[in-house]
Amino acid sequence: MPDQIGVYIILGIIVIGVVVLFTFVPVALWISAWAAGVKVGIFQLVGMRLRRVIPHRVVNPLIKAVKAGLDISTNKLEGHYLAGGNVDRVVNALIAAQRANIELTFERCAAIDLAGRDVLEAVQMSVNPKVIETPFIAGVAMDGIEVKAKARITVRANIDRLVGGAGEDTVIARVGEGIVSTIGSANSHAAVLENPDMISQTVLKKGLDAGTAFEILSIDIADIDIGKNIGAGLQTDQAEADKKIAQAKAEERRAMAVAQEQEMKARVEEMRAKVVEAEAEVPMAMSEALRQGNLGVMDYMNYNNIKADTDMRDSIGKATGDGEEDDSQQSRTSKL
């Protein structure tokens, strides 16, 4: 019995060891690499485990690279994985570049991948150019008419400028700027409508792909349309503004005239007050003259007679004036 228990213990240890071996050491992956002719040692796979590298993320791309005829070392792929890159995408991009006769080294491809760009898509775009469609871009011709144009930009990826090169947004912005300047330099909107190729030819000559990750192959005007009459609108707004300014100045002059009129009325009232004040001093002066003997009684009576005669003449004149006004009003009424 003790011998059987010892045998069972040994068998269990062997089974546990085999399980640990196949769990920690990717034997199946080593067999696949050996069958594909890739030289990867079993201890090298164990070292990948110890370096926290997933072995199949490195070995499977290495198998593809060897089968495609690429000369890439395991250390380069492992280093790119540890740097946070996508090893499988880099190998696929190198294989696609080799098939398309595009010169692309592993170092440049790894740098493009670590820069955050899809290197495989870039290689595919180098073979099959991409079409970027801009929104409607509005420009104003010299005659004040707005012209809207939509362009299709055919671009090809520039592998040499993928690292540090500008993206699609920059290309669209530069093309939009070129369209606006071309439309703005046209004498009339009719010239732009008659020859839309003028826009694409002018924009293409500006070298807008400088400093970008693309190479512009062609710029085609897909659609063109007429917008608002910007010149007429600006003239209308200017006329309205001039009208408001003139009205404000006229209102200012009217206010000044009203203020001057009120000031003159105040002066008239002031002068009347002075006249009344002066008239009030006349009786006092006459009484003083009577006391001092400078004015006699007969002189005073003559003064009163003259005053009464003057008042009578004024009353007669007012009555005559009122009568004439009544007669003229009656004559106008009879005529009507």
Side-chain angles (χ1 to χ4, degrees):
M1 267 314 272
D3 296 336
Q4 291 180 354
I5 294 174
V7 171
Y8 291 150
I9 292 174
I10 293 172
L11 290 176
I13 293 174
I14 293 173
V15 171
I16 293 173
V18 171
V19 171
V20 171
L21 177 64
F22 279 91
T23 301
F24 191 75
V25 180
V27 178
L29 186 62
W30 175 77
I31 295 173
S32 298
W34 176 78
V38 178
K39 296 180 180 180
V40 179
I42 191 70
F43 293 104
Q44 193 173 3
L45 296 177
V46 174
M48 290 183 186
R49 289 285 193 187
L50 295 176
R51 289 188 293 271
R52 298 182 180 274
V53 176
I54 301 175
H56 72 86
R57 294 286 182 87
V58 175
V59 175
N60 287 335
L62 182 62
I63 293 173
K64 285 192 296 184
V66 172
K67 287 300 181 181
L70 298 176
D71 185 14
I72 303 175
S73 65
T74 307
N75 290 331
K76 288 184 178 181
L77 296 179
E78 190 175 347
H80 186 64
Y81 177 83
L82 290 173
N86 192 323
V87 178
D88 191 63
R89 185 166 55 193
V90 169
V91 172
N92 290 337
L94 289 172
I95 294 173
Q98 184 192 37
R99 296 295 187 267
N101 293 325
I102 298 175
E103 185 178 354
L104 182 62
T105 62
F106 175 81
E107 287 75 14
R108 180 172 291 276
C109 191
I112 294 172
D113 183 66
L114 292 176
R117 294 187 182 274
D118 192 339
V119 62
L120 179 59
E121 182 183 356
V123 173
Q124 292 173 349
M125 194 184 299
S126 297
V127 179
N128 185 19
K130 180 180 180 181
V131 177
I132 303 174
E133 185 170 335
T134 66
F136 270 108
I137 299 172
V140 182
M142 289 186 180
D143 58 356
I145 305 298
E146 182 185 36
V147 180
K148 299 179 180 179
K150 179 187 289 186
R152 286 192 176 95
I153 313 166
T154 304
V155 297
R156 181 172 60 194
N158 192 327
I159 302 296
D160 296 333
R161 292 203 300 257
L162 276 177
V163 178
E168 294 183 11
D169 295 337
T170 302
V171 174
I172 293 175
R174 290 182 180 180
V175 171
E177 180 184 356
I179 291 174
V180 171
S181 62
T182 304
I183 295 175
S185 61
N187 292 326
S188 66
H189 68 286
V192 180
L193 296 177
E194 290 174 1
N195 189 15
D197 293 340
M198 175 182 64
I199 300 176
S200 58
Q201 293 174 2
T202 305
V203 174
L204 197 58
K205 292 178 182 178
K206 292 180 178 293
L208 302 179
D209 54 1
T212 65
F214 304 99
E215 178 185 353
I216 297 178
L217 301 179
S218 66
I219 299 175
D220 304 309
I221 302 300
D223 192 8
I224 193 167
D225 197 4
I226 297 296
K228 300 178 181 178
N229 192 338
I230 303 297
L234 292 175
Q235 291 178 358
T236 302
D237 294 341
Q238 185 63 41
E240 185 68 22
D242 294 341
K243 175 185 174 184
K244 290 182 179 179
I245 293 174
Q247 289 178 346
K249 290 182 178 179
E251 182 65 23
E252 181 181 0
R253 290 194 297 270
R254 189 191 68 81
M256 292 178 64
V258 171
Q260 188 175 6
E261 180 184 2
Q262 296 298 325
E263 183 179 357
M264 295 304 296
K265 288 182 178 179
R267 289 183 179 179
V268 169
E269 293 297 328
E270 182 182 358
M271 297 305 294
R272 287 179 179 174
K274 290 182 178 180
V275 170
V276 171
E277 182 181 0
E279 289 178 349
E281 293 179 356
V282 171
M284 297 175 62
M286 291 180 64
S287 62
E288 184 65 23
L290 287 173
R291 280 195 298 267
Q292 294 181 0
N294 295 327
L295 181 66
V297 176
M298 294 304 296
D299 295 330
Y300 179 72
M301 295 300 296
N302 291 331
Y303 167 75
N304 287 331
N305 290 331
I306 293 172
K307 184 178 179 182
D309 185 50
T310 302
D311 293 338
M312 180 183 65
R313 291 176 183 275
D314 290 338
S315 62
I316 293 173
K318 290 180 179 180
T320 306
D322 294 338
E324 291 178 354
E325 290 180 359
D326 294 339
D327 293 340
S328 61
Q329 185 175 3
Q330 290 177 1
S331 62
R332 287 195 299 268
T333 302
S334 62
K335 289 180 181 179
L336 292 174

